[in-house]
Amino acid sequence: WMASQAQHSVDLSTCYVFTHDPAHRYVFLDLLTHIAMRGVQVRVNIDLLTIESNIIKSAFRAKHDENKKGGYKARSNIAHPYTFLDALPSGCPPMSDLSKEKFKSALDFLQEVTRRAAAVPNGKYQVRFWCARDSQDGYRIKNHSKCAVFDAKTVGATAFIGGSNVVPTLESGDADCDMIVSGQVATEIGGTFDHLWDCLETELNLEEFGQKYSSYEEDKKVETTFSLLPHQSWLDANASVALLRSEPSSSGEDVILRHVLGAISKAQKYVYMVMGHCNFPKSLAIALHEACKRGVEVKLLVNSLYSSDLRVNQRDMFQSLQQVLRIAPDVEVWTTAMPSIRQNHPTSDTTGRTIKSDAVAPPFLHAKFTVIDGIWSAAGSWNVWTRSAFHEIEHELFIKSTLVAEALTTKFEKDRKSTSVRLLQADECVPGAGWCPTGCQLCQQYGPFYVNV
């Protein structure tokens, strides 16, 4: 809807492109092309590192698809990959025949995207691929700051920011989390997009990037008013919002983590945190332990091997949870489980639910948010792991609003009760204990990303 209403510009930044997803194919091939042909300036920034990985994996995935005979069903009997077509607003084009067909590889898809972009007159559809290296050690820096910004340089600027890559996937369903903001904070998000876009044009290294575009000071606050879509019951015109961008480097600084730790240190009632991907650092475990000592209720919600789409970090993640429970045994750690496990597990909340079969796997929890004391929230692309300090560019919203905090608290409790069980002992987090793989050589080399930095 926002794209169809845009009058001047649409800026889209994504870390991943899922070519198997019809919604992704529709957005890149049909929707953005249509908008650009109307004369709206469309710019797309795609992380190259993930694209290279996807191209390599395409051959394996194609072979897997040929041999695939079964698997888990979608979590919903109503939703299917083309459900979004039933809800297209006016002003959006129909889905083309080409977009309905699967591409043989990620490379074929991206070539078609760039071909269509090049065919739009006057450069109205531009695509760039983010590729940068740390100026000191030379390793690749990933752009994980996902957003969509509409009419960024106008008073009506609106932006989406959160966990989704372009759109929520069918695998995550409503277990992802994105925020819609307008006004100056949306313009600030557009500014982050501009900074990264200009880096690609001028080929700045990360050190020059940091000098030219300094990160926001820790005490800087951006206050604005929400102007969300009318159907959002938690619209808050009086919310205060701050946008913070983290810039990773070999120095290992994570300014977003510093803010979250500061908020936890002031918590009085509760701290709820859900993270799609995470390795909880020792500094966070200590902060949560201190909160528990003050009588603060602390709950963490994470994926297990039953729901995660990234297996190589699972071993490392549960080792970090093992450390959390040893340092802060009063922290409630909840992890996704298959329906039959939830049915029989003593800590599972199955009140009013009939669980019949393991055919429906738990959703992939891709949301990334923290909510504290019913008033303070943090949400965006940031994951709690030290990769964010060294390897991945992130941006996060810090929100002071009882309405937003209440909505996120409700979402947290809904996902926790419907997908997970509580792990009571640190020994339950040992790799191979049922919630994560023992770990092959690839997994063992992935970490540790939960050490203190």
Side-chain angles (χ1 to χ4, degrees):
W1 184 82
M2 298 303 304
S4 67
Q5 299 298 309
Q7 298 297 312
H8 303 282
S9 64
V10 173
D11 296 326
L12 176 66
S13 178
T14 185
C15 187
Y16 293 89
V17 175
F18 301 119
T19 60
H20 67 281
D21 189 337
H24 275 232
R25 299 198 298 269
Y26 172 78
V27 169
F28 285 103
L29 299 180
D30 298 329
L31 179 62
L32 295 181
T33 303
H34 174 78
I35 294 169
M37 290 297 291
R38 284 203 288 111
V40 175
Q41 182 64 61
V42 174
R43 298 184 297 174
V44 177
N45 187 353
I46 305 173
D47 184 82
L48 183 61
L49 184 62
T50 61
I51 291 299
E52 292 170 341
S53 173
N54 204 5
I55 291 172
I56 293 172
K57 291 186 293 187
S58 290
F60 297 95
R61 187 178 296 114
K63 186 66 177 177
H64 172 73
D65 290 343
E66 290 175 5
N67 299 327
K68 188 175 182 180
K69 296 181 180 179
Y72 295 131
K73 297 178 182 178
R75 66 179 298 220
S76 169
N77 294 324
I78 300 175
H80 59 79
Y82 293 91
T83 301
F84 72 94
L85 292 175
D86 299 330
L88 287 180
S90 60
C92 292
M95 191 174 193
S96 65
D97 291 338
L98 180 61
S99 297
K100 294 177 182 178
E101 300 294 328
K102 289 185 177 180
F103 286 77
K104 291 182 178 180
S105 70
L107 181 60
D108 289 342
F109 173 75
L110 290 170
Q111 287 176 334
E112 179 61 24
V113 171
T114 55
R115 186 190 69 79
R116 291 202 176 194
V120 176
N122 303 318
K124 287 296 184 179
Y125 189 172
Q126 298 182 31
V127 180
R128 292 180 181 175
F129 297 92
W130 171 265
C131 183
R133 295 184 181 274
D134 178 73
S135 59
Q136 177 175 309
D137 293 342
Y139 59 78
R140 293 280 287 274
I141 299 291
K142 181 192 291 186
N143 178 19
H144 195 250
S145 58
K146 295 165 282 191
C147 64
V149 191
F150 309 95
D151 294 337
K153 294 179 173 60
T154 71
V155 293
T158 306
F160 286 69
I161 179 174
S164 294
N165 291 280
V166 185
V167 294
T169 63
L170 197 63
E171 291 79 8
S172 61
D174 61 358
D176 213 325
C177 181
D178 298 286
M179 311 296 286
I180 308 172
V181 294
S182 67
Q184 186 177 349
V185 70
T187 301
E188 294 276 355
I189 295 171
T192 291
F193 182 95
D194 286 342
H195 298 341
L196 300 179
W197 184 266
D198 291 341
C199 283
L200 297 175
E201 184 178 36
T202 58
E203 298 184 350
L204 296 176
N205 63 35
L206 263 286
E207 183 177 353
E208 291 172 337
F209 173 60
Q211 293 172 353
K212 185 174 181 181
Y213 303 112
S214 58
S215 58
Y216 298 104
E217 297 297 330
E218 293 194 15
D219 60 351
K220 178 178 179 181
K221 294 185 179 298
V222 180
E223 295 194 0
T224 185
T225 57
F226 277 87
S227 180
L228 306 182
L229 298 180
H231 66 272
Q232 296 292 347
S233 60
W234 45 280
L235 182 152
D236 188 352
N238 297 312
S240 62
V241 185
L243 173 70
L244 192 64
R245 182 180 71 247
S246 71
E247 297 169 0
S249 72
S250 51
S251 65
E253 172 63 26
D254 188 344
V255 67
I256 295 176
L257 175 60
R258 287 184 180 275
H259 275 70
V260 173
L261 290 175
I264 292 173
S265 70
K266 299 176 182 178
Q268 298 298 318
K269 298 178 181 178
Y270 69 84
V271 176
Y272 295 166
M273 179 181 289
V274 56
M275 284 288 150
H277 297 302
C278 52
N279 299 127
F280 295 96
K282 186 176 181 180
S283 57
L284 182 60
I286 294 172
L288 296 178
H289 176 56
E290 293 299 320
C292 289
K293 287 169 57 178
R294 298 194 303 272
V296 176
E297 181 184 51
V298 178
K299 295 180 183 179
L300 307 178
L301 178 58
V302 301
N303 287 292
S304 69
L305 62 85
Y306 300 114
S307 60
S308 179
D309 72 340
L310 183 60
R311 294 295 181 89
V312 292
N313 78 322
Q314 287 285 292
R315 179 180 184 274
D316 198 46
M317 183 190 79
F318 275 88
Q319 285 184 322
S320 78
L321 289 171
Q322 188 178 28
Q323 177 177 257
V324 168
L325 286 175
R326 285 174 176 166
I327 293 175
D330 291 331
V331 169
E332 293 187 25
V333 174
W334 295 82
T335 189
T336 54
M338 293 300 292
S340 60
I341 297 175
R342 298 203 303 274
Q343 183 70 49
N344 299 307
H345 200 282
T347 66
S348 180
D349 186 347
T350 58
T351 305
R353 292 181 174 83
T354 300
I355 300 177
K356 298 180 179 179
S357 170
D358 274 351
V360 181
F364 169 41
L365 300 175
H366 196 242
K368 314 158 194 301
F369 66 81
T370 304
V371 58
I372 297 177
D373 291 349
I375 188 169
W376 187 93
S377 307
S381 66
W382 178 72
N383 291 305
V384 181
W385 56 5
T386 49
R387 286 182 61 86
S388 297
F390 293 95
H391 296 275
E392 299 180 352
I393 297 173
E394 310 284 3
H395 55 189
E396 191 85 351
L397 292 177
F398 297 97
I399 307 165
K400 188 175 182 180
S401 164
T402 55
L403 290 176
V404 173
E406 180 182 359
L408 291 178
T409 299
T410 300
K411 175 176 174 56
F412 179 93
E413 286 297 302
K414 177 182 74 68
D415 289 342
R416 181 185 66 82
K417 292 179 180 180
S418 63
T419 67
S420 65
V421 298
R422 182 181 175 186
L423 305 183
L424 298 173
Q425 304 293 331
D427 289 346
E428 293 184 82
C429 300
V430 174
W435 306 108
C436 72
T438 301
C440 62
Q441 186 175 1
L442 177 63
C443 296
Q444 292 170 357
Q445 296 302 314
Y446 186 82
F449 283 110
Y450 57 90
V451 295
N452 211 19
V453 293

